[in-house]
Structures are given as C-alpha cells and as structure tokens.
Amino acid sequence: MSNNKIEHIGVFTSGGDSQGMNAALYAITKAAETHNIQVSGIKKGYEGLIDNDLTKLKSRDLQKITHRGGTILKTARSERFMTLEGRKKALQTLKTNQIDALIAIGGDGTFKGLLAFSEICDIPFIGIPGTIDNDLAGTDYTLGFDSAVNTAIENIDKIRDTAESHNRVFIVEVMGRDSGYIGIHSGLVVGANGILIPESTQDLTYLLEKVKNYDSEDAFLIVVSEGDEIGTDLVASKIKEVNPDVDLRITRLGHVQRGGNPSAFDRMLGIRLGAASVEVLLRGSKNVMVGLYNNMICTTPFQGVVKQHHIDEELRDLLELFSS
Ligand code: F6P
C-alpha cells in the first residue's frame, strides 16, 4: 500500500453531534498510528479550523471513550465557514500545521462545507457520515441513527404505559429536520397508530378519520417527525376539531435522542468507518465519504452524498401497510 506521503491527518466532528463519533475518532487515531501518522483533533468543527484550535490525539487516551455519546472534540454549525474569507483562514490553519489530509465526521452541512473547501484546497478530504437523521446518500446507516431510534422507542414505550392508563391520544414528536427515518423506524416498532414523516404525503384525512372513530377505551399513539410539513401542533388542532372529546397530549422528545451511550451498532460502525477512512486515504482516494452498503465498506464522492435522500421503497410499503 502506498502512503502518498501522508504524515499528519487533521480530524474534526461537525454539525449536530451523534453517538459513535468518539468511537470513530479512536479508530482513526489507532489506524493512523500503525502507519506512523500523527493525528490532530480540530476543536468545534470548522470553527476550530478557522481559529487554529488543535489538539494532538493519541489512541491510548481515546480507547476509554468509545462508549460515550457526544464528541470529545466538540462540534458546531459554523456560519463563518460559509464565507470564502472563513475558508481561506481554515486553509491557512492547514498550512501552518502542515496537515496533509483531513477527515471530517458529520452530516449534510459538513459535506457541503467539504465540497466548498475542496475548491480552494487540494489536500485529500475523507468524510464519515455522522448524524442521527440518517439522511445521507451513499450509506445505509449514519453514526448515531441506531442509538437515537433506541432512545426514541424506549421513551415511546414509556409514554404508551401512561397513555393506556388514561386512554389518551399522544402525539410524540421525534427528531429529523428533513428526514423521517427516526419517525418511521420508531413508529413502526412501537406499533404507533399513525406515523407522519416529511418524505411522504400521508393521508392526514385517513388518520383523522381513525382518531374520530377511536373508541377512547385505549391509547392512540401518533409519531410525527419534526420535519413533517403538517407539523405536530397543526395535527393536534385538527384532531381536536374532528374529535373534541379526546384527551390529547403532546411530547417532544428533542435532544434526548442525541445523547446517551452509543448502541453496540453505532460503536462498531464508528470503529469500522474510522479505520476505513484511514485505509482509503492511504490508497489514494480523495473527496469521498466512507459508508456502509449491504454491510460492506463503500466510498461515494461528496457530490453523490449531498443529493436529495429518499426513503426506500420497502420502508414506504411498510409505512402504508401499518398505517391502514
Ligand atoms: O443533527 C440532526 C438534528 O438533531 C436534527 O434532527 C435536528 O433538526 C437538528 O439536528 C437540531 O439541531 P440543533 O441541535 O442545532 O438544535
């Protein structure tokens, strides 16, 4: 394997934190060390790149934090990096520290940032998908999605207990800015009576018909993705319109879905993608994301990652089946 003279890798986490990011940092550092490559962690994503805020990473320190949620490098959504001036400062940081490759862990915004940066910087960039939303093309799973779904279902199961005790209608809002993956996965496995997600124009009339006729001797659970175009509040008021007698409550699960220890799946995904990112870099790849497709490591050019994502057909069919 040729090393392409990579001696110093910079790595950062960016956008919303997601479970498994720490495991990926550990794997990147471990894999790099075996090739005698130094690794610098860039703090707070693109912000640290602009401000030259770096810290040396050693695998022996990171080994102990693969079980922790969040990101030890901290993260941010950087407005400054969206400007050319910000990106030029970031380029200067790379030159000052003699960094000859960059690995970034993040979601859609992170990959758009890498694409813009690649126009003024020609060192190789490798991306790792990290977002609870699971909305990137080029991978079956992103870091954090599995943990977030597990948190969602644990909490919805609890809500069902109280909902059943009071015969209440509950709307539970789960995260997903433009993506219904958490909504559809959690809604299906908790046996929700209705699931509303942004990617599908569900028949709200049909759902309202069900609530109208619901016998009020049981719980009625509706899972709504945060990004759904109708939205939690409007769904609630429409329900009240068709059935003023329902005892309705709303729970927004919010950022609890981003926290907590990563699931076994996310830890392993972090380990696999972290190690793979170094391997593909050393094989000479640049400006690609490493992902998982059919349980095998694959790479996708950044342009292919940021395109509109879709809910696959099988999931759509399941949604339809279980909504009836
Ligand atoms: O990281 C993805 C996500 O959790 C989305 O599901 C959510 O819409 C958004 O981030 C929330 O962002 P912030 O933490 O900046 O409020």
Side-chain angles (χ1 to χ4, degrees), residues 15-18 77 107 130-133 135 174-179 182 226-227 254-255 257-258:
D17 55 287
S18 65
R77 302 188 195 276
T131 165
I132 63 164
D133 287 356
D135 58 350
V174 296
M175 269 190 166
R177 188 188 285 130
D178 308 301
S179 156
I182 298 178
E226 174 193 26
H255 286 79
Q257 293 158 99
R258 285 238 298 262

Side-chain angles (χ1 to χ4, degrees), residues 3 46 50 68 72 76 105 109 112 127 176 179 192 195 199 259 271 296:
N3 183 311
Y46 289 117
I50 294 169
R68 277 178 46 196
I72 51 139
I105 312 173
K112 287 184 177 142
S179 156
I195 302 169
E199 295 89 341
I271 297 279
M296 296 204 318

Side-chain angles (χ1 to χ4, degrees), residues 16-24 69-70 105-106 128-135 141-152 175 182 256-270 273:
D17 55 287
S18 65
Q19 303 91 330
M21 282 180 163
N22 286 328
I105 312 173
I128 294 180
T131 165
I132 63 164
D133 287 356
N134 204 36
D135 58 350
Y141 294 104
T142 56
L143 291 177
F145 168 66
D146 183 67
S147 306
V149 171
N150 276 300
T151 297
M175 269 190 166
I182 298 178
V256 70
Q257 293 158 99
R258 285 238 298 262
N261 293 350
S263 64
F265 181 85
D266 279 329
R267 294 182 202 194
M268 191 60 194
L269 188 62
L273 296 181

Side-chain angles (χ1 to χ4, degrees), residues 214-277:
Y214 130 91
D215 64 9
S216 73
E217 283 305 315
D218 204 354
F220 192 98
L221 294 182
I222 304 164
V223 173
V224 179
S225 290
E226 174 193 26
D228 177 65
E229 62 179 23
I230 307 163
T232 302
D233 293 326
L234 190 55
V235 173
S237 60
K238 293 223 177 264
I239 288 173
K240 276 293 195 185
E241 267 171 39
V242 297
N243 191 344
D245 296 331
V246 294
D247 194 4
L248 175 81
R249 294 290 186 277
I250 295 174
T251 300
R252 290 184 166 87
L253 292 183
H255 286 79
V256 70
Q257 293 158 99
R258 285 238 298 262
N261 293 350
S263 64
F265 181 85
D266 279 329
R267 294 182 202 194
M268 191 60 194
L269 188 62
I271 297 279
R272 289 180 76 184
L273 296 181
S277 66

Side-chain angles (χ1 to χ4, degrees), residues 5 18 35 39 59 82 90 93 96 103 153 165 170-171 193 218 221 264 268 283 304 306:
K5 293 203 174 72
S18 65
H35 294 282
V39 181
S59 69
M82 291 180 192
T93 297
T96 307
I103 299 178
I153 66 174
S165 304
F170 258 89
I171 301 179
N193 302 82
D218 204 354
L221 294 182
M268 191 60 194
R283 281 195 207 120
V306 296

